[in-house]
Amino acid sequence: MEPILKLQQQQKMMMTPQLQQSIELLQYNTHELEEFLYEQQLENPLIDLQAPTFQEKDFGTTYRASTTMPNEFYTKIAEPNDREELLQLATLTFVGEDLQLAHTVIKHLDHKGYSPAQLGQISAQQHDRAIQLLQQIGPPGVGARNLQECLLLQIGEKDNDLQQLIENGLALLAERKFSALQKMLQLSKDQLSDCINRLQQLTPIPCSISQENDTLYVIPDIIVFREDGTLQFSLNDSSLPTVQLNDSYKNIASFLPNSEQKYVKQHFKQFNWLIHSLQQRRQTIIAIMSVVLQHQQAFFVHGLPSLKPLTLQDVATQIDMHVSTVSRAIRNKHIQTPVGTYLWKDLFSSKIDNTQAQHSQTSILEMIKNIITAENKQKPLSDQKIAEILANSHQIQIARRTISKYREELGIQAASKRKEL
């Protein structure tokens, strides 16, 4: 057989630098996009960024303006830093060796207020001394080396029953073996119950020590608000700089030598592509959010229990986009709503089969959490009983093993571990 030469025409998607930039822009949240724009200004002399003035910042320019002040759009997610306060109090209270010991332990406290089991700079006796000193200036239990020591530092010297419970009975208490505890401590049921109540007044975390520069703020990319009885949303992007063409290059481009004109034309093309990518990103986010707002009206009023099933594919089909585009657009973005601030992706959830009504997996997880919260702690509900409640009260048919799986996802222990005296 003789070889035959054939010509075939094929269409292939090439990952050009411009296309890659569009994909990256779509994935950026507002803060990341701002950083990217300033990087582009350094790389492209034709890009001129105009930072908005305070008067220009209008939080809600997409649909209607919001009257909320800018700093209210930052959700702080950090714990107070007690380390500096403790160091100052130690300096005001102690002198000499005591001051040095206190400072050494304070500087080595972890984020919960515990000190390491051993410190190379001081002896075990000095460590004990430093912990006692910290009880004079800090919250009870600060500087403890373990949970047991932390709790013991918080109780009175005459509470022998509670001391015995902490020293010898925490493992049995964790396993809810109340009969064994009564026998070991030689207490009646009422006495043990009272002792456990006193234990619950103590704190396992004496104070919150934040590390340097770990104060974080969540800047929502989208804000949902109610105005005139109607739910609306706006993009929280008015703090972004305005991208403009540098007039000086525009005016002199025609007078430059050919080699330099080529340089200017190349960067002008990049400038235009950036403008196009920014517009496309904005339009994509608005299109996706419009579908979410329309579909999740009940959620924005009542919260997670009312979250309806909504998949990325559902939205992609409705706005005629590829599902990967929707996935990239919602990546790492936060949405501020009347019922709380969430990751945008948390508003997407698959439908649970065997349910007569429209319930998402997220809403069912919330139902399970609420059922367990309201249970009788002396007779906690088994997974089978929770399944029966969902079936009878919400017409949701879920197997016991699925309840167990969801409960573990919520970080909730089994019924035997939730039992209280």
Side-chain angles (χ1 to χ4, degrees):
M1 176 180 281
E2 295 183 2
I4 300 175
L5 183 63
K6 283 187 178 180
L7 285 176
Q8 281 188 325
Q9 190 174 9
Q10 290 183 332
Q11 286 188 339
K12 231 181 226 188
M13 175 71 76
M14 299 295 294
M15 183 61 75
T16 64
Q18 291 84 358
L19 182 59
Q20 186 174 1
Q21 184 186 80
S22 290
I23 293 173
E24 288 178 359
L25 281 182
L26 189 59
Q27 297 178 116
Y28 289 153
N29 59 33
T30 303
H31 178 66
E32 291 169 339
L33 180 58
E34 183 176 1
E35 291 182 338
F36 173 79
L37 290 177
Y38 282 108
E39 289 174 2
Q40 289 299 299
Q41 184 183 35
L42 296 176
E43 296 176 6
N44 190 339
L46 270 65
I47 295 177
D48 183 23
L49 297 182
Q50 296 295 322
T53 63
F54 179 80
Q55 290 79 8
E56 291 172 337
K57 292 183 180 181
D58 181 12
F59 291 81
T61 54
T62 306
Y63 289 93
R64 292 194 186 181
S66 171
T67 55
T68 311
M69 294 299 290
N71 63 324
E72 296 184 27
F73 289 95
Y74 295 76
T75 304
K76 188 173 181 180
I77 51 169
E79 296 293 335
N81 187 350
D82 291 339
R83 194 188 308 276
E84 289 301 322
E85 183 180 349
L86 287 172
L87 289 171
Q88 292 173 9
L89 287 172
T91 302
L92 293 172
T93 308
F94 308 123
V95 294
E97 184 182 0
D98 283 353
L99 177 59
Q100 292 179 354
L101 291 175
H103 272 202
T104 298
V105 173
I106 291 171
K107 290 176 181 178
H108 287 84
L109 293 177
D110 66 14
H111 66 286
K112 294 182 179 179
Y114 284 82
S115 64
Q118 294 179 332
L119 283 173
Q121 300 94 323
I122 57 178
S123 66
Q125 288 183 332
Q126 289 175 317
H127 199 167
D128 291 338
R129 169 66 179 166
I131 293 172
Q132 292 303 320
L133 291 173
L134 292 190
Q135 306 315 299
Q136 301 176 34
I137 61 172
V142 65
R145 287 158 286 199
N146 52 57
L147 174 61
Q148 188 180 68
E149 184 178 26
C150 176
L151 297 175
L152 288 172
L153 287 169
Q154 299 176 54
I155 67 174
E157 295 179 358
K158 296 182 180 180
D159 199 337
N160 294 325
D161 291 341
L162 183 53
Q163 181 177 341
Q164 287 297 316
L165 174 60
I166 294 172
E167 289 179 346
N168 305 307
L170 290 182
L172 290 175
L173 181 61
E175 296 176 3
R176 298 295 194 266
K177 294 182 178 179
F178 299 117
S179 297
L181 269 176
Q182 284 181 245
K183 184 177 180 181
M184 183 187 71
L185 300 176
Q186 297 183 342
L187 297 175
S188 68
K189 182 178 179 180
D190 289 341
Q191 287 175 324
L192 178 59
S193 177
D194 184 57
C195 191
I196 293 174
N197 287 336
R198 296 199 303 277
L199 176 65
Q200 291 173 336
Q201 302 306 310
L202 309 180
T203 176
I205 303 176
C207 64
S208 297
I209 303 292
S210 60
Q211 304 301 318
E212 186 178 359
N213 297 326
D214 70 348
T215 300
L216 302 176
Y217 291 86
V218 171
I219 305 175
D221 303 272
I222 303 169
I223 300 163
V224 176
F225 57 95
R226 182 180 291 277
E227 190 170 283
D228 298 329
T230 304
L231 285 169
Q232 302 177 43
F233 74 91
S234 61
L235 303 191
N236 188 25
D237 61 358
S238 57
S239 60
L240 293 174
T242 302
V243 182
Q244 297 179 341
L245 183 63
N246 191 323
D247 289 335
S248 59
Y249 279 89
K250 182 172 64 176
N251 295 332
I252 67 171
S254 59
F255 301 101
L256 295 173
N258 290 337
S259 59
E260 294 184 16
Q261 282 191 22
K262 183 179 179 181
Y263 170 85
V264 172
K265 286 179 181 179
Q266 179 184 355
H267 283 82
F268 182 68
K269 184 177 179 181
Q270 293 173 356
F271 167 83
N272 283 331
W273 188 268
L274 176 61
I275 295 295
H276 171 76
S277 299
L278 289 171
Q279 292 173 345
Q280 194 173 46
R281 173 188 181 273
R282 184 180 178 86
Q283 291 168 2
T284 300
I285 292 174
I286 290 173
I288 296 171
M289 188 59 209
S290 297
V291 175
V292 173
L293 186 68
Q294 182 180 8
H295 189 83
Q296 301 289 12
Q297 293 272 327
F299 161 77
F300 292 118
V301 176
H302 303 294
L304 285 176
S306 300
L307 190 70
K308 293 182 179 180
L310 182 66
T311 65
L312 298 180
Q313 185 61 62
D314 293 336
V315 176
T317 301
Q318 191 162 338
I319 63 177
D320 195 23
M321 288 185 182
H322 196 276
V323 66
S324 64
T325 302
V326 178
S327 177
R328 291 188 181 101
I330 69 171
R331 173 193 169 274
N332 198 29
K333 294 180 179 66
H334 288 80
I335 176 170
Q336 179 177 296
T337 78
V339 291
T341 299
Y342 300 88
L343 278 168
W344 198 6
K345 69 179 181 64
D346 292 342
L347 274 61
F348 294 81
S349 182
S350 58
K351 182 181 184 298
I352 300 297
D353 294 330
N354 302 323
T355 62
Q356 295 182 11
Q358 289 282 316
H359 291 292
S360 67
Q361 180 179 336
T362 303
S363 66
I364 292 176
L365 285 170
E366 191 72 9
M367 289 179 195
I368 293 173
K369 184 172 71 173
N370 292 337
I371 290 170
I372 293 176
T373 300
E375 71 184 359
N376 181 346
K377 301 305 178 185
Q378 293 181 334
K379 295 180 179 179
L381 300 170
S382 66
D383 293 337
Q384 181 60 44
K385 186 62 179 176
I386 294 172
E388 293 173 4
I389 292 173
L390 287 175
N392 295 332
S393 301
H394 303 281
Q395 292 74 52
I396 300 173
Q397 303 291 335
I398 300 181
R400 179 199 58 78
R401 61 181 179 274
T402 305
I403 296 291
S404 177
K405 172 188 171 185
Y406 287 169
R407 176 177 51 73
E408 290 173 359
E409 286 182 15
L410 291 167
I412 298 175
Q413 294 181 318
S416 60
K417 300 294 184 181
R418 301 198 305 272
K419 186 177 180 180
E420 296 180 4
L421 187 62

